Amino acid sequence: MIFTVVFIFFQVVLACIAVYQFSLSLFGFMKNKSRKRHAPSKSFAVLVAAHNEEKVVGALIENLKKLDYPKEMFDVFVICDNCTDGTADIARSMGVHACERTNYHLRGKGYAIEWMLKELWAMPRQYDAVVMFDADNLVNRDFLQLMNDDLCEGHQVIQGYLDTKNPDDSWITAAYAITYWYCNRLWQLSRTNLKMSNFLGGTGMCFETNLLKEMGWGATSLVEDLEFSMRCVKRNIYPILNYDAKVYDEKPVSFRASARQRLRWMQGHFNVARNYFFPLLWASIKERNLVKFDAAIYTISVYNTLLGFLLTAIMWIDMALPTTNVIHSLYGYLPWWLIGVVIAATVLQFPAAMMMEKVRNGKMYAHLLTLPFFLISWWPITFYAFFTQNNKTWSHTQHTRVVRIEEVQSK
């Protein structure tokens, strides 16, 4: 009896969080196209994080040199972090700064960015803002102009729209693409419309220089983007999303590479949850601040996934045993039509987001049939991440898919 009460209690908690998120997602159906334009006035240091990226970094540098922004108002710095290949040589040959860092003890993008910012602050030329990309990215030509517009409006932390460079490569990359379209529309845009904080996505990020100097980077976990997002929210600085500033990220093609990448994300996410959930929750109560409450709930989404996995596994085991069911689930107390509505609303969110994002590739809609396998695979990955969350060893995702921005935009 006590076990059943506890079981249903946790189901109710997860249901409340799900209803909360679904309610927020409804505000993503609206899209405000009005945006103030400003003449180019902000200068940018464009940082490209790279570890052994000789196969893809050239395409990004070529892309960045063609941005529709005055060339004298931005410089490109490739952070060659512990590189043992020709990444630095390619950067220098293409006329951008190759900044070589060697530190085998402090590995990972967070440490590389922290090092690069210290180097940047010591340079004769100072910039109004810092933009960060990964070496495998591509970006629309108006990216810096859009960042300039938001900076001129007084925003200090800006996230671009994260899209997928190679959605057609495999069912895994298609699943990433669908998930990103869904998150951009029904997670990020909904928070934009509600004037809540957006969350940084690791690339396509822009930061006002004065803010970075004041705060310091200080985000060296396996998910430095989420960590910095929470540091900002704690200080009442709310990152915004520029929905028009598109960045295309290369996704792992194989399930194994994808699982390794997502394991790293979940390990880092557990650490951020541990460090920021209670401070943000307490601040939200004390200040009656919904934005901080939302950020606190976001930090524990990794625990929601873990708890959902455990509850589902227990239910399946209980039903599979050749005895009378011991556990009474919340679903047993709900009318069948309500369960049907919940399932339909959950399933239809993904194609709805794709239609709103004007996805016209029929193959992507066919991949909705394989998407559930990708989503379910988060469960064992998160379960394993919970027991290995103290493993802070950064793992490199290899990128070999050379694509030009023209090819991406033509699709």
Side-chain angles (χ1 to χ4, degrees):
M1 180 63 181
I2 295 177
F3 186 82
T4 296
V5 171
V6 173
F7 190 87
I8 292 178
F9 169 78
F10 283 121
Q11 282 190 316
V12 170
V13 170
L14 290 182
C16 290
I17 294 174
V19 169
Y20 169 76
Q21 175 52 42
F22 180 77
S23 301
L24 289 186
S25 72
L26 297 177
F27 292 88
F29 284 76
M30 304 177 294
K31 186 179 177 185
N32 184 3
K33 294 185 178 181
S34 63
R35 179 176 295 279
K36 291 185 179 179
R37 307 310 298 262
H38 295 266
S41 62
K42 302 295 183 180
S43 59
F44 295 92
V46 180
L47 309 187
V48 178
H51 171 70
N52 289 347
E53 301 285 12
E54 63 180 5
K55 293 184 179 179
V56 295
V57 72
L60 175 60
I61 294 172
E62 177 186 302
N63 177 198
L64 294 174
K65 293 176 76 173
K66 295 179 181 178
L67 292 179
D68 292 332
Y69 202 74
K71 300 299 181 281
E72 69 277 7
M73 296 186 71
F74 72 95
D75 290 314
V76 178
F77 299 86
V78 178
I79 312 170
C80 308
D81 185 37
N82 293 308
C83 289
T84 57
D85 66 353
T87 299
D89 294 332
I90 291 172
R92 276 189 287 265
S93 70
M94 298 186 72
V96 301
H97 301 277
C99 305
E100 298 185 73
R101 172 185 183 262
T102 304
N103 188 326
Y104 297 111
H105 300 290
L106 300 176
R107 300 184 61 192
K109 191 167 80 172
Y111 289 112
I113 291 172
E114 192 164 56
W115 172 83
M116 185 66 238
L117 291 177
K118 291 177 182 177
E119 296 288 308
L120 200 63
W121 306 153
M123 292 179 183
R125 181 179 184 183
Q126 296 296 292
Y127 303 86
D128 295 313
V130 175
V131 170
M132 299 181 190
F133 296 113
D134 289 338
D136 60 290
N137 294 164
L138 294 171
V139 54
N140 278 3
R141 293 177 63 167
D142 60 354
F143 188 90
L144 289 185
Q145 177 58 58
L146 292 168
M147 295 297 110
N148 173 81
D149 294 342
D150 282 338
L151 289 167
C152 290
E153 288 295 308
H155 299 293
Q156 295 177 290
V157 183
I158 309 154
Q159 173 63 57
Y161 181 109
L162 294 183
D163 211 334
T164 306
K165 186 169 75 173
N166 57 330
D168 294 321
D169 280 0
S170 71
W171 73 276
I172 291 291
T173 60
Y176 271 109
I178 294 169
T179 305
Y180 271 55
W181 291 324
Y182 162 78
C183 290
N184 279 313
R185 188 77 193 205
L186 300 182
W187 279 68
Q188 292 277 51
L189 184 60
S190 58
R191 286 171 169 81
T192 298
N193 290 334
L194 291 168
K195 301 191 182 306
M196 300 172 73
S197 176
N198 288 111
F199 304 111
L200 298 173
T203 188
M205 306 177 291
C206 178
F207 307 90
E208 185 187 59
T209 295
N210 290 335
L211 176 68
L212 277 180
K213 287 182 176 180
E214 178 191 343
M215 286 182 62
W217 180 244
T220 54
S221 70
L222 295 177
V223 284
E224 73 290 331
D225 48 356
L226 179 61
E227 185 179 1
F228 195 85
S229 298
M230 298 308 151
R231 290 186 64 213
C232 286
V233 173
K234 279 185 68 177
R235 297 167 64 100
N236 297 313
I237 297 165
Y238 304 146
I240 69 159
L241 173 72
N242 190 307
Y243 210 76
D244 300 317
K246 286 202 170 185
V247 181
Y248 303 92
D249 189 38
E250 181 182 327
K251 299 305 178 190
V253 176
S254 70
F255 181 83
R256 175 176 291 185
S258 162
R260 188 167 57 245
Q261 182 187 65
R262 289 183 286 154
L263 175 62
R264 172 167 55 86
W265 289 349
M266 292 297 97
Q267 288 169 334
H269 204 137
F270 274 116
N271 278 276
V272 171
R274 192 168 64 230
N275 293 329
Y276 288 92
F277 171 68
F278 286 110
L280 284 170
L281 182 63
W282 173 244
S284 72
I285 296 171
K286 187 167 62 173
E287 302 169 20
R288 298 181 183 178
N289 188 316
L290 178 60
V291 178
K292 291 185 178 179
F293 175 80
D294 181 64
I297 294 299
Y298 186 78
T299 63
I300 59 165
S301 59
V302 65
Y303 280 100
N304 300 340
T305 304
L306 176 64
L307 187 57
F309 171 58
L310 293 175
L311 296 182
T312 303
I314 291 170
M315 251 190 334
W316 286 346
I317 292 171
D318 185 52
M319 288 188 292
L321 292 175
T323 57
T324 304
N325 289 348
V326 175
I327 299 171
H328 297 281
S329 169
L330 174 66
Y331 302 118
Y333 297 94
L334 298 177
W336 65 266
W337 61 266
L338 181 58
I339 297 175
V341 168
V342 170
I343 293 173
T346 303
V347 170
L348 292 176
Q349 284 186 94
F350 290 97
M354 293 171 70
M355 287 186 284
M356 288 187 287
E357 293 302 276
K358 296 181 172 59
V359 177
R360 297 184 176 89
N361 187 337
K363 290 183 178 179
M364 289 296 106
Y365 288 94
H367 278 297
L368 287 168
L369 298 175
T370 57
L371 179 64
F373 298 100
F374 179 80
L375 297 178
I376 290 173
S377 71
W378 282 97
W379 282 354
I381 290 171
T382 305
F383 183 74
Y384 183 67
F386 175 76
F387 293 101
T388 58
Q389 60 183 278
N390 291 324
N391 176 16
K392 296 180 173 60
T393 303
W394 176 76
S395 60
H396 176 231
T397 303
Q398 291 188 339
H399 301 106
T400 59
R401 185 81 158 86
V402 181
V403 182
R404 297 294 191 274
I405 186 63
E406 293 79 11
E407 182 181 348
V408 174
Q409 291 174 332
S410 69
K411 295 181 181 180

